[in-house]
Amino acid sequence: MRAKTSIELKEGAICFEASGCGAQGQNKYKFSLDLYSDVDPEIACRTLAREVLLTVQKVQRVWWPRLTKQKRKPVFLRADFDRWLDESDAEREEQLKDEENINKLLIESRKQSKPLDNIKRCYLFLYNLVQFLFFLHVFGSLSKSFLLNNGLTPGLLESTGQTIRLCQLLAFLEILHSAVGFVRSPILPTLFQVLGRAFVFFLVIDGQEELQNPWSALVVYYIWSAIEIFRYPFYMLGSVGFSWRPLTWARYTLWIPLYPLGVIAEGVCIWLAIPSFAQVDTYSVHLIGANLDFVYVLYAWLGLLPFGLAVNFRHLWKQRRHRLCGRKRKMP
C-alpha cells in the first residue's frame, strides 16, 4: 500500500495515523499504544510496498513483562514470532556473538602473530617438556624402588637428588616467566612454591652432611614428582594451544590430596633435620652481641608452611572452579 504516515509520542503513548490505498480502497488508519515504560521519542518509520515498519527503542535496556501498561493485550495487536526474543533467547544470542567475536580475535591474532610469539611458545613447550621428563624419571625410579625392591636401592637417594637439584634450579625460571608475562600465573603463588621447595631441598636436605632419615627426603621427592608429572604436560600442551580433558581434570584435581601430603612430608623432613642442625653451626649467623641459630629459622618455617599451603590452595581452587566448573553468564 502507498501510505502517508504520521507518528508522534504523547505521554508515553505512540499515536500513529496513515492514509493510503489498501485492499478496501482509500482509507485512513490509526492506532494508539500506551507503552509499558518510556521509549526514545525519535521513532524510525519506513514505508514499504505492503507495510509500514516502526522501530522504537527503550530508554532503559530492561525486560518488560508486557508491551503496554494495560494487562489485556489490544485485539488488533499480533506478535511477530520470527523476531520474538525472550530473556533466554537474548542471552544465548549474546553468547553466540561473544563466541563469534572471540573466534574472530583468535583468527586475527594467529594471522598477525609475530615471530617472537612463536619463539616464546617453543621455549615454553621445551621448558615444560624437559621438566616433565626429569620428574617422570624421578617418579619412575622411586616407584620401581618402592614397589619392586621393597626398600632403598644403592645410590637411589643420590641419583634422584641430582635430578631434583636440576629441576629446582630450572624452576627459578618460573618466577621470571610470571614476572615478565610469559605465563598468566600470578607471581605470589609461584614465588611461594618455588622458594618453599628450594628452601627444603637446598638448605634442609642438601644442607645436611648425612641425612638422619633418607626415607623422609625420598617421600618428599615422590610427592613432588607425582604432582609435576601432570602439571608440566598440561602447561606443555597449553603453550601450543592444545588441551586434553583427562589431563586437565588430573591437573586440577590430584593436587587436592597431593599438596597437603607434600606439605606434611616437608614438615616431617624439616622436623627430623632439626637435631642434626642443632649440633652444628651450618647457616647460623653470628652478629655482634647476637646469634641467629638456623634451628630457629627451621621452627619459623614450620609455622609458615600452613600459610603457604593456604595461599596455593586458594589459588588452585579458583583455577579448578574456572576450568572444570565453568561460570554462568548473567544478563545486566
Side-chain angles (χ1 to χ4, degrees):
M1 111 182 137
R2 296 289 180 182
K4 293 182 180 180
T5 61
S6 172
I7 184 168
E8 59 181 337
L9 192 64
K10 293 182 179 179
E11 298 179 355
I14 295 179
C15 300
F16 174 81
E17 291 185 6
S19 62
C21 184
Q24 298 179 357
Q26 188 72 23
N27 282 295
K28 287 186 177 180
Y29 305 89
K30 65 180 181 178
F31 67 85
S32 177
L33 282 177
D34 192 8
L35 298 177
Y36 181 80
S37 187
D38 296 335
V39 296
D40 193 330
E42 294 184 4
I43 301 174
C45 180
R46 292 178 59 197
T47 303
L48 304 179
R50 297 179 59 84
E51 59 187 3
V52 177
L53 295 179
L54 304 178
T55 304
V56 183
Q57 296 285 345
K58 300 175 184 176
V59 173
Q60 296 181 347
R61 294 178 60 86
V62 295
W63 289 97
W64 292 356
R66 55 186 178 275
L67 181 63
T68 60
K69 289 182 179 178
Q70 61 186 30
K71 294 184 179 180
R72 190 171 182 179
K73 181 174 69 67
V75 294
F76 66 89
L77 194 63
R78 297 288 184 272
D80 184 357
F81 287 102
D82 290 336
R83 300 179 181 177
W84 181 273
L85 283 179
D86 58 18
E87 291 188 63
S88 60
D89 294 332
E91 184 175 359
R92 179 59 182 162
E93 189 176 77
E94 287 195 8
Q95 267 187 332
L96 293 174
K97 286 182 180 179
D98 289 345
E99 291 174 2
E100 185 178 350
N101 292 334
I102 291 173
N103 290 333
K104 286 181 180 179
L105 289 174
L106 287 174
I107 292 172
E108 290 178 2
S109 65
R110 287 172 184 171
K111 289 181 180 179
Q112 299 175 358
S113 61
K114 300 177 182 179
L116 288 178
D117 294 332
N118 295 328
I119 294 174
K120 183 185 77 172
R121 283 194 292 268
C122 291
Y123 162 75
L124 290 176
F125 181 88
L126 291 175
Y127 170 81
N128 289 291
L129 175 61
V130 169
Q131 289 284 63
F132 165 65
L133 293 177
F134 283 155
F135 278 109
L136 183 63
H137 168 71
V138 173
F139 185 80
S141 300
L142 294 176
S143 298
K144 179 181 176 182
S145 177
F146 293 159
L147 298 177
L148 300 181
N149 299 325
N150 297 321
L152 291 171
T153 57
L156 178 65
L157 182 64
E158 182 180 355
S159 63
T160 53
Q162 289 177 352
T163 307
I164 290 292
R165 180 181 293 106
L166 183 57
C167 291
Q168 289 306 122
L169 289 173
L170 290 174
F172 283 105
L173 292 174
E174 295 179 22
I175 302 175
L176 182 63
H177 296 167
S178 295
V180 300
F182 269 27
V183 296
R184 291 183 295 178
S185 300
I187 192 169
L188 189 60
T190 305
L191 197 65
F192 271 119
Q193 178 166 317
V194 173
L195 295 184
R197 288 187 178 181
F199 179 88
V200 173
F201 178 78
F202 289 110
L203 298 183
V204 178
I205 297 176
D206 211 32
Q208 299 180 72
E209 295 182 0
E210 184 176 350
L211 283 175
Q212 301 298 318
N213 192 333
W215 276 101
S216 62
L218 290 176
V219 171
V220 170
Y221 297 167
Y222 194 69
I223 296 176
W224 286 357
S225 60
I227 295 171
E228 306 302 4
I229 60 175
F230 294 103
R231 187 170 74 97
Y232 282 114
F234 173 80
Y235 290 142
M236 180 181 68
L237 296 180
S239 65
V240 293
F242 182 79
S243 63
W244 185 36
R245 188 163 182 79
L247 181 60
T248 303
W249 180 90
R251 160 70 182 102
Y252 289 106
T253 302
L254 295 181
W255 65 267
I256 297 175
L258 290 178
Y259 266 66
L261 287 176
V263 169
I264 293 173
E266 292 174 16
V268 171
C269 192
I270 293 172
W271 182 263
L272 294 175
I274 288 176
S276 176
F277 284 104
Q279 297 175 1
V280 295
D281 288 337
T282 308
Y283 308 129
S284 296
V285 178
H286 301 281
L287 301 176
I288 299 176
N291 293 327
L292 178 60
D293 199 329
F294 186 64
V295 171
Y296 298 134
V297 177
L298 294 179
Y299 281 123
W301 195 266
L302 286 175
L304 290 175
L305 280 179
F307 175 70
L309 175 64
V311 171
N312 275 326
F313 206 95
R314 182 173 179 270
H315 169 64
L316 288 171
W317 188 257
K318 283 185 177 180
Q319 284 189 328
R320 186 178 192 276
R321 289 179 59 187
H322 175 74
R323 290 279 184 171
L324 301 184
C325 302
R327 292 181 294 180
K328 295 182 178 179
R329 295 174 57 87
K330 295 183 179 179
M331 290 292 290

